[in-house]
Amino acid sequence: MTSEHTPTIEDLEAARANLKKAVDRWENYDGNNPNKHRTAVADARVVVHEIEAQLKAAGVIELSDQEKLFKALDERFPDAQSREVVEHEGRKYQRKFTPVATSLSGKSVKAWQGSWVEVPQ
């Protein structure tokens, strides 16, 4: 997918179907290689994540209340580092990043998902 192409809901449905097929192949594999199909699953997860993010950014998919909060925090604190604590509307939030998918070895992250966690006061 090129940056000139705005994904559609159909693209997202196709990517989710591809992810399901990859997961099914992985789960139904009964050979002697425990890593068989893991790369395909990880790659498919990244594609689904990227398409969902683009559709949400374009307003095609409505954001949940939590995602709206995350977006507001991202806009207010665009340079927040991992584990950094910020204050927004009287509450404190910590920036977190988790991998969407990793390489087979687990040493390389294919894509990151940013989020915020409310810090108890």
Side-chain angles (χ1 to χ4, degrees):
M1 190 174 313
T2 65
S3 60
E4 299 145 13
H5 172 70
T6 302
T8 63
I9 293 293
E10 291 79 20
D11 294 331
L12 178 58
E13 289 170 356
R16 286 179 174 163
N18 187 42
L19 174 58
K20 182 178 180 340
K21 286 179 192 174
V23 169
D24 288 346
R25 279 192 309 268
W26 183 40
E27 289 176 348
N28 294 325
Y29 176 71
D30 62 355
N32 199 23
N33 181 355
N35 294 324
K36 184 86 169 178
H37 304 297
R38 280 190 46 200
T39 300
V41 171
D43 291 344
R45 281 189 180 133
V46 170
V47 171
V48 168
H49 170 74
E50 289 174 350
I51 292 173
E52 282 180 345
Q54 290 175 5
L55 289 173
K56 286 178 181 182
V60 176
I61 296 177
E62 189 174 338
L63 299 175
S64 68
D65 289 341
Q66 183 182 42
E67 290 168 332
K68 289 175 185 174
L69 172 63
F70 289 177
K71 182 178 178 183
L73 287 164
D74 288 342
E75 289 171 355
R76 186 159 177 216
F77 306 101
D79 299 323
Q81 300 295 311
S82 181
R83 293 183 261 176
E84 183 175 340
V85 176
V86 299
E87 188 168 333
H88 176 69
E89 297 180 355
R91 295 184 170 170
K92 292 186 179 185
Y93 298 91
Q94 185 178 45
R95 185 69 166 146
K96 296 281 186 174
F97 290 94
T98 54
V100 173
T102 60
S103 65
L104 191 56
S105 68
K107 293 181 181 179
S108 298
V109 175
K110 294 178 179 260
W112 290 96
Q113 171 70 44
S115 63
W116 294 89
V117 177
E118 187 170 357
V119 177
Q121 298 188 31

